[in-house]
C-alpha cells in the first residue's frame, strides 16, 4: 500500500541506466527529472529504492530490497514523488512490512519489486453524509466506510481543498480507488495517498489533557501518560520491554493501535501477531486485531525498509487521528531504527558522531516524537497520537546516545530495571529511574473528575518506595535486625507496595488488566495497612511481631478479585486491618 512499484511509472519520465551496484547502494545516471528522496524502480523487476544523493551526473539510491540479480545497464526510472502511503480501508487487522505491503493473505514471500496492494478488487460500503451543493472545508466529512471491526472510517476532504460539493456518490459499494466525491474541482477517492515523512496537517495542537489508561498499575498510579503524549521505554535485554508493550497494546483505552516491530526478531513478531489475533477485545467483544495495524519490520529486512517503517507507522496513526480517534503508536524498538540510520550514514560517507551514529540523530529522534500530540483536526474533531517507543541500549547502558537523546524529547520514561526483572517482578518498571511530566496536569484533571486524592496517593507511594530503597543497602550490610523498629516497618512498607500494588501478572485473568478504581483501591488498602503497622510499632508492639503477621489478604487481592472489583479489595483491606488489631 506504498507507492514503490515500477508498475506505477510516472508518464513522460525518461528512464536512466544503472551504473554500479554495491549491495543495497545503487548508482544510476541522472535523467534530469530526479529529485532527492524520490522513489525509483530499479531493474526489470522494479526493485524500489530511494534517492539519497545527487552528485553531478550520478544519482545514488538506497534500495528497499535485496538487489541480487540487478546489474549495470539495467533500467532505472524515477517515480517523481517521495515514498507515500495509500491510506484507506483494509489497514485494520492487516500485517504489513516496512513499506506497508501486506504480509498476510498474499503468500509466504514477497517477490523483489512486488507492490501487492490489499483488497484492490474488494468493494467497500460507502454512506454519504453530505449532499451536492453543500460547502465543505478541508477535513470535512463526506461519507463513512464500514471496515472490519468496530472502527467506522470516514472519507474526508483532503488538506488544502474546500468548496462546494459538485458530486457525491450514492450509497453503495465501491473499490478503494473509486472517486466518491468532487469538491471544488478536486476528485476525492475512498483511499488517499500521503508522503510518509511529512506530518499530516492539523488545525491546532494541545488542549486539556486526558489520561491514557493502560491497565498497568505501576504506570497509571506513578508514571501516567496523557493521550497525545510521548513515552520512552528503555531497558536491557530480558527486562520485559516487548511484554510490557504487548500488554499496553492489549489493554489501553485507545481506539486504534499501530504496532511497529522495527528490527525485532521474527519469532517475537510472530508471537505478537498471534496474540493480537487471538485476544478478545474487552471493549467490543470482537478480536483486538480488528482495531490494530501491525507493521512487522523484522531484523532480517533491508535497513531502508526498517528506517521507513517508523515513518509509515506514524503516517497511519495520523490518518486515524484525523478521523477524531485516539491512536497509540508503539515502536519496538527505536534503537534498531537508529542503528539503521547509523548503517545508512556509514554507507553514504556521512561524518560520524557519538558511537558512529550520524550527527543528525537527535534531530531525527525529535522529529519522530514530534508527530505525537493531542490535536484539533482540520475538521474540528479532537484526536490524538500517543507514541510509545522502546529503547534497547547495548549492555543496558542508559547513557548511550539513543537513550540519552530520546529522554530529552519525551514526556514520560518507563525505565526497566534488570534487577527487578531477574527477581521476577513484572512489569519491571523502575520507580527510581522513571518519570512522568504529564503527572501534574493529569492530577488536576483527576481532581476535577472526582478523585482529588490521586496526587496525594501517588506521592505517598513514591515516598514509601524511596525510603525502602534508601534502607535496602543498609539492610544488606548490617541485616534487618540491626535497624530500629521504625525503619524495619519502612522496609516492610516497601515490600507491601511492591508485591501488593506494583507487581502484575500478565497471565492472570484478574490481574492482566486493572481498572482505575481497583488500582486506587489496592493502593489505598496497602497504604492503610502500612499506617496501621506504623501505629502498632509506635504504640510499643515489636517490629518483629508486626513482620510475622500474615499479609496474604492484601497481597493476594490483586489476583483474587476481578479487574473492576473494588468491593472485594475493600473487604480484604478490612480483614487485614482487623488482623493487625488496634494500637495499644
Amino acid at each position: 500500500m506504498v507507492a514503490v512499484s515500477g508498475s506505477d511509472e510516472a508518464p513522460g519520465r525518461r528512464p536512466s541506466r544503472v551504473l554500479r551496484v554495491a549491495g543495497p547502494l545503487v548508482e544510476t545516471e541522472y535523467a534530469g527529472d530526479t529529485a532527492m528522496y524520490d522513489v525509483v524502480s530499479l531493474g526489470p523487476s522494479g526493485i524500489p529504492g530511494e534517492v539519497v544523493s545527487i552528485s553531478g551526473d550520478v544519482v545514488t539510491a538506497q534500495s528497499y530490497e535485496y538487489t541480487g540479480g540487478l546489474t549495470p545497464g539495467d533500467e532505472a526510472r524515477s517515480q517523481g514523488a517521495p515514498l507515500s502511503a495509500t491510506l484507506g480501508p483494509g489497514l485494520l487487522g492487516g500485517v504489513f512490512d516496512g513499506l506497508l505491503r501486506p504480509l498476510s493473505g498474499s503468500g509466504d514471500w514477497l517477490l523483489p519489486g512486488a507492490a501487492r496492494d490489499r483488497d484492490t478488487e474488494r468493494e467497500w460500503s460507502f454512506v454519504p453524509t453530505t449532499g451536492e451543493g453543500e460547502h465543505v472545508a478541508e477535513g470535512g466529512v463526506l461519507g463513512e466506510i464500514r471496515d472490519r471491526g468496530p472502527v467506522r472510517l470516514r472519507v474526508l476532504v483532503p488538506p488544502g481543498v474546500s468548496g462546494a460539493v459538485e458530486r457525491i456518490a450514492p450509497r453503495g459499494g465501491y473499490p478503494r480507488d473509486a472517486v466518491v466525491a468532487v469538491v471544488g474541482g478536486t476528485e476525492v477517492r475512498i483511499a488517499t495517498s500521503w508522503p510518509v515523512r511529512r506530518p499530516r496537517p492539523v488545525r491546532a495542537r494541545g488542549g486539556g489533557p486526558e489520561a491514557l489508561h493502560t491497565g498497568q498499575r505501576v504506570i497509571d498510579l506513578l508514571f501516567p501518560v496523557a493521550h497525545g503524549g510521548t513515552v520512552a521505554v528503555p531497558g536491557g535485554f530480558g527486562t520485559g520491554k516487548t511484554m510490557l508493550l504487548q500488554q499496553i497494546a492489549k489493554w489501553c483505552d485507545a481506539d486504534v493501535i499501530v504496532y511497529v516491530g522495527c528490527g525485532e526478531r521474527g519469532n517475537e513478531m510472530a508471537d505478537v501477531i498471534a496474540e493480537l489475533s487471538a485476544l478478545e477485545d474487552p471493549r467490543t467483544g470482537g478480536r483486538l486485531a480488528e482495531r490494530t495495524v501491525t507493521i512487522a519490520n523484522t531484523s532480517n529486512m533491508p535497513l531502508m525498509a526498517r528506517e521507513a517503517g517508523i515513518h509509515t507507522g506514524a503516517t497511519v496513526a495520523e490518518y486515524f487521528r484525523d478521523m477524531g480517534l485516539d491512536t497509540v503508536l508503539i515502536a519496538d524498538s527505536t534503537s534498531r531504527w537508529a542503528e539503521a540510520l547509523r548503517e545508512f550514514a556509514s554507507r553514504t560517507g556521512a561524518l560520524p558522531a557519538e558511537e558512529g551514529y550520524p550527527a543528525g540523530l537527535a534531530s531525527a529522534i525529535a522529529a519522530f516524537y514530534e508527530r505525537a500530540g493531542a490535536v484539533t483536526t482540520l475538521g474540528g474533531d479532537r484526536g490524538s497520537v500517543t507514541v510509545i517507543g522502546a529503547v534497547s541500549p547495548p549492555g543496558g547502558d542508559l547513557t548511550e546516545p539513543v537513550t540519552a537523546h530520546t529522554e530529552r524529547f519525551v514526556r514520560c520514561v518507563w525505565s526497566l530495571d534488570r534487577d527487578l526483572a531477574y527477581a521476577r517482578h513484572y512489569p519491571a518498571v523502575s520507580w527510581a529511574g522513571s518519570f512522568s511530566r504529564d503527572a501534574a496536569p493529569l492530577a488536576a484533571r483527576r481532581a476535577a473528575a472526582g478523585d482529588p486524592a490521586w496526587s496525594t496517593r501517588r506521592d505517598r507511594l513514591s515516598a514509601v518506595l524511596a525510603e525502602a530503597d534508601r534502607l535496602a543497602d543498609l539492610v544488606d550490610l548490617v541485616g534487618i535486625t540491626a535497624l530500629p523498629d521504625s525503619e524495619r516497618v519502612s522496609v516492610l512498607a516497601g515490600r507491601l507496595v511492591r508485591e501488593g500494588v506494583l507487581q502484575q501478572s500478565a497471565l492472570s485473568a484478574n490481574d492482566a488488566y486493572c481498572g482505575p478504581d481497583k488500582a486506587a483501591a489496592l493502593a489505598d488498602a496497602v497504604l492503610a495497612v502500612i499506617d496501621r503497622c506504623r501505629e502498632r510499632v509506635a504504640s510499643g508492639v515489636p517490629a518483629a511481631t508486626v513482620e510475622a503477621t500474615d499479609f496474604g489478604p492484601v497481597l493476594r487481592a490483586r489476583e483474587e478479585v476481578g479487574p473492576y472489583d473494588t468491593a472485594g479489595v475493600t473487604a480484604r483491606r478490612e480483614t487485614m486491618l482487623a488482623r493487625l488489631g488496634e494500637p495499644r
Side-chain angles (χ1 to χ4, degrees):
M1 301 182 73
V2 169
V4 295
S5 172
S7 62
D8 297 327
E9 295 174 359
R13 291 192 170 268
R14 181 166 60 90
S16 61
R17 297 292 172 185
V18 172
L19 300 176
R20 187 171 74 95
V21 181
L25 275 180
V26 180
E27 292 182 353
T28 70
E29 299 172 339
Y30 179 60
D33 55 1
T34 302
M36 284 290 292
Y37 307 116
D38 275 1
V39 172
V40 294
S41 59
L42 305 167
S45 59
I47 296 172
E50 181 177 353
V51 175
V52 297
S53 173
I54 301 177
S55 178
D57 294 331
V58 177
V59 174
T60 303
Q62 178 76 27
S63 172
Y64 289 119
E65 293 183 345
Y66 175 60
T67 56
L70 185 65
T71 62
D74 284 344
E75 182 179 285
R77 186 182 292 271
S78 171
Q79 303 296 303
L83 182 67
S84 299
T86 302
L87 307 169
L91 289 173
L92 292 171
V95 181
F96 307 89
D97 70 355
L99 302 183
L100 212 62
R101 297 178 299 183
L103 295 178
S104 58
S106 59
D108 295 331
W109 301 96
L110 282 173
L111 297 176
R116 296 193 181 110
D117 214 343
R118 187 172 186 180
D119 295 326
T120 53
E121 303 301 325
R122 176 178 172 180
E123 291 189 346
W124 303 88
S125 177
F126 172 73
V127 180
T129 58
T130 188
E132 294 183 1
E134 294 186 24
H135 188 278
V136 291
E138 57 179 351
V141 180
L142 296 171
E144 294 183 344
I145 303 169
R146 172 59 70 179
D147 197 352
R148 68 170 67 191
V151 180
R152 190 179 298 276
L153 304 183
R154 296 174 173 180
V155 176
L156 305 178
V157 180
V161 176
S162 62
V165 178
E166 300 172 7
R167 184 173 71 83
I168 187 77
R171 180 170 185 162
Y174 301 91
R176 288 194 306 111
D177 60 353
V179 176
V180 293
V182 177
V183 177
T186 300
E187 294 182 342
V188 180
R189 304 177 188 274
I190 287 180
T192 183
S193 181
W194 192 264
V196 299
R197 290 185 175 85
R198 191 173 79 196
R200 289 175 63 86
V202 297
R203 180 183 297 181
R205 299 178 70 89
E210 296 283 350
L212 174 72
H213 184 69
T214 66
Q216 309 304 299
R217 285 186 298 273
V218 65
I219 294 172
D220 296 334
L221 289 173
L222 297 181
F223 310 110
V225 60
H227 281 288
T230 50
V231 184
V233 188
F237 176 78
T239 53
K241 294 186 299 297
T242 299
M243 176 60 72
L244 176 59
L245 296 180
Q246 288 180 28
Q247 287 296 98
I248 293 171
K250 294 174 186 176
W251 302 111
C252 75
D253 60 354
D255 298 308
V256 174
I257 305 295
V258 181
Y259 195 105
V260 182
C262 182
E264 291 302 295
R265 293 177 289 275
N267 61 327
E268 288 189 355
M269 281 307 308
D271 290 343
V272 171
I273 294 168
E275 289 191 21
L276 292 178
S277 300
L279 189 71
E280 180 178 318
D281 189 345
R283 300 175 62 184
T284 65
R287 299 290 96 187
L288 181 62
E290 293 176 347
R291 57 182 180 91
T292 302
V293 181
T294 304
I295 298 177
N297 198 39
T298 54
S299 56
N300 63 329
M301 292 182 178
L303 73 94
M304 282 303 289
R306 204 183 320 155
E307 191 274 337
I310 288 285
H311 305 291
T312 302
T315 301
V316 171
E318 290 172 346
Y319 166 70
F320 291 106
R321 174 206 67 191
D322 290 348
M323 298 181 188
L325 301 173
D326 290 316
T327 307
V328 169
L329 169 62
I330 296 176
D332 186 14
S333 82
T334 56
S335 291
R336 307 291 180 258
W337 170 61
E339 289 169 4
L341 292 175
R342 178 170 61 183
E343 185 177 348
F344 170 66
S346 68
R347 289 179 179 179
T348 56
L351 185 66
E354 300 174 85
E355 299 187 14
Y357 288 104
L361 174 65
S363 298
I365 292 174
F368 169 60
Y369 283 102
E370 281 176 356
R371 298 185 73 166
V375 305
T376 301
T377 68
L378 295 178
D381 295 319
R382 178 180 172 83
S384 69
V385 173
T386 306
V387 176
I388 303 175
V391 186
S392 306
D397 178 16
L398 300 183
T399 64
E400 59 89 33
V402 179
T403 307
H405 288 312
T406 301
E407 290 185 356
R408 293 168 53 196
F409 303 120
V410 297
R411 294 192 59 82
C412 302
V413 169
W414 303 334
S415 182
L416 301 185
D417 184 82
R418 179 173 296 171
D419 292 338
L420 288 176
Y422 288 175
R424 298 297 187 265
H425 176 109
Y426 293 107
V429 176
S430 168
W431 42 86
S434 304
F435 65 81
S436 170
R437 296 188 178 102
D438 288 338
L442 289 176
R445 188 77 173 183
R446 288 178 184 270
D451 186 10
W454 185 88
S455 182
T456 303
R457 184 185 303 117
R458 177 177 183 267
D459 291 344
R460 289 197 62 195
L461 290 172
S462 299
V464 167
L465 293 167
E467 178 66 8
D469 286 349
R470 183 185 71 82
L471 296 171
D473 291 338
L474 190 58
V475 170
D476 291 340
L477 183 64
V478 302
I480 187 69
T481 57
L483 298 182
D485 284 358
S486 60
E487 292 187 344
R488 291 179 66 170
V489 174
S490 294
V491 175
L492 172 64
R495 181 175 72 86
L496 294 178
V497 170
R498 292 193 303 270
E499 297 180 10
V501 179
L502 302 188
Q503 272 189 300
Q504 199 162 345
S505 173
L507 304 178
S508 169
N510 287 331
D511 203 31
Y513 169 83
C514 184
D517 292 338
K518 178 186 174 182
L522 283 171
D524 290 341
V526 169
L527 290 172
V529 169
I530 291 171
D531 289 342
R532 179 62 58 84
C533 291
R534 294 188 192 279
E535 292 170 359
R536 295 274 289 167
V537 169
S539 67
V541 176
T545 301
V546 174
E547 291 169 344
T549 305
D550 178 13
F551 292 95
V554 71
L555 294 181
R556 294 193 298 268
R558 61 184 179 86
E559 291 201 62
E560 289 181 347
V561 306
Y564 305 98
D565 186 2
T566 58
V569 175
T570 302
R572 284 160 176 77
R573 164 184 170 171
E574 297 305 317
T575 299
M576 193 67 245
L577 292 177
R579 180 174 296 180
L580 286 168
E582 297 294 333
R584 292 178 180 175

